[in-house]
Amino acid sequence: MNDASHGVDLPETILPYEGYRVMFRHIEKRLTSLELTVSAIETDRAVSEEKRKFMVARFNQIDTRLDKIDGHIGRLVWLIIAAILGGLMSFMLQGVALPQ
């Protein structure tokens, strides 16, 4: 019994199967590529999140230091104002005393 008598052409029946294999390989390559891309995006997002946490902590430290500097500047201003007022009071008290 030959294949031609049954109306079955062997290469035509194998050809669609090979086409599916090629298509599945192509889909598998695309999925692998997408998985690598998603993995790279997730890694980048995790790195960015860690950098953001570090930056937030750093800015909080800077804000704390600026608040301390602002407090010290406020004290210095009050000290200068007190020194000027003390000098004026001293000058006024010395001017009031009459020489004999």
Side-chain angles (χ1 to χ4, degrees):
M1 299 196 156
N2 69 24
D3 293 329
S5 64
H6 292 296
V8 177
D9 191 12
L10 190 59
E12 289 178 9
T13 58
I14 294 175
L15 186 61
Y17 178 71
E18 288 296 321
Y20 289 128
R21 287 178 67 189
V22 170
M23 183 178 65
F24 285 137
R25 284 184 189 147
H26 178 71
I27 290 171
E28 184 179 4
K29 286 179 184 177
R30 289 186 65 195
L31 282 174
T32 303
S33 173
L34 288 173
E35 287 172 347
L36 290 172
T37 302
V38 168
S39 176
I41 289 171
E42 288 174 348
T43 301
D44 186 50
R45 183 177 294 160
V47 169
S48 296
E49 182 66 24
E50 289 301 315
K51 285 182 181 179
R52 188 190 66 78
K53 287 179 184 177
F54 175 76
M55 293 292 286
V56 166
R58 185 77 173 143
F59 281 127
N60 286 340
Q61 289 175 350
I62 290 171
D63 284 342
T64 303
R65 290 174 60 194
L66 287 176
D67 288 340
K68 287 180 182 179
I69 290 171
D70 188 40
H72 291 303
I73 289 174
R75 289 181 188 153
L76 284 173
V77 168
W78 280 109
L79 183 64
I80 291 171
I81 290 172
I84 291 172
L85 288 176
L88 284 175
M89 292 298 287
S90 174
F91 178 73
M92 288 172 46
L93 289 175
Q94 287 177 359
V96 173
L98 296 173
Q100 291 185 2

